[in-house]
Amino acid sequence: MAERVGVTPRAAELIRELRARHGDLLFHQSGGCCDGSAPMCYPAGEFRIGASDVRLGQIEGCPFYMGAAQFEYWRHTHLTIDVVPGRGSGFSLEAPLGVRFLTRSRLLTEDEFDELEGQAK
């Protein structure tokens, strides 16, 4: 089954650690505010999802969203959430740990794209 978003083993481990500390989480792919275009991690309920946000899927049981306007640019890509050393935005839960989430992307195959677009209908 095709997916729009996935996670590396290292990022999955960090997400599990953050869930143990903070409870349920959600992710939102930043569109350039605060920390470029980084995936931002929040405690569930601390970030308001709007009517124009698109749910891309989930990673480690956490919903992952992106704004609709940004999604139009990214709809042909698969996002892989990774974690790297360095300090990201102060708003994302991993920031105090000296690491930051990072989005890696690749183009969806034609079959993946067709499957995902069919699911959206």
Side-chain angles (χ1 to χ4, degrees), residues 2-69:
E3 298 176 316
R4 291 196 184 276
V5 63
V7 62
T8 66
R10 188 167 174 212
E13 182 179 330
L14 178 58
I15 294 167
R16 289 189 298 270
E17 179 183 330
L18 291 171
R19 283 182 83 180
R21 290 182 185 191
H22 301 282
D24 290 338
L25 306 173
L26 73 81
F27 283 82
H28 192 278
Q29 177 68 39
S30 173
C33 173
C34 306
D35 198 28
S37 58
M40 306 293 279
C41 178
Y42 302 99
E46 300 254 338
F47 184 87
R48 295 188 75 127
I49 298 301
S52 66
D53 287 313
V54 176
R55 183 176 171 149
L56 300 184
Q58 63 179 22
I59 53 175
E60 289 299 303
C62 305
F64 193 100
Y65 295 89
M66 174 184 285

Side-chain angles (χ1 to χ4, degrees), residues 18-120:
L18 291 171
R19 283 182 83 180
R21 290 182 185 191
H22 301 282
D24 290 338
L25 306 173
L26 73 81
F27 283 82
H28 192 278
Q29 177 68 39
S30 173
C33 173
C34 306
D35 198 28
S37 58
M40 306 293 279
C41 178
Y42 302 99
E46 300 254 338
F47 184 87
R48 295 188 75 127
I49 298 301
S52 66
D53 287 313
V54 176
R55 183 176 171 149
L56 300 184
Q58 63 179 22
I59 53 175
E60 289 299 303
C62 305
F64 193 100
Y65 295 89
M66 174 184 285
Q70 187 178 9
F71 177 70
E72 288 307 311
Y73 291 106
W74 291 71
R75 79 179 312 128
H76 292 87
T77 61
H78 176 273
L79 307 180
T80 301
I81 306 308
D82 201 356
V83 63
V84 295
R87 186 157 168 85
S89 170
F91 298 116
S92 194
L93 287 176
E94 80 283 2
L97 302 176
V99 295
R100 64 187 183 92
F101 288 111
L102 177 79
T103 301
R104 301 185 189 282
S105 63
R106 67 166 174 83
L107 289 175
L108 293 166
T109 66
E110 208 172 301
D111 288 342
E112 288 173 322
F113 182 76
D114 290 345
E115 181 182 336
L116 290 165
E117 289 296 298
Q119 291 172 9

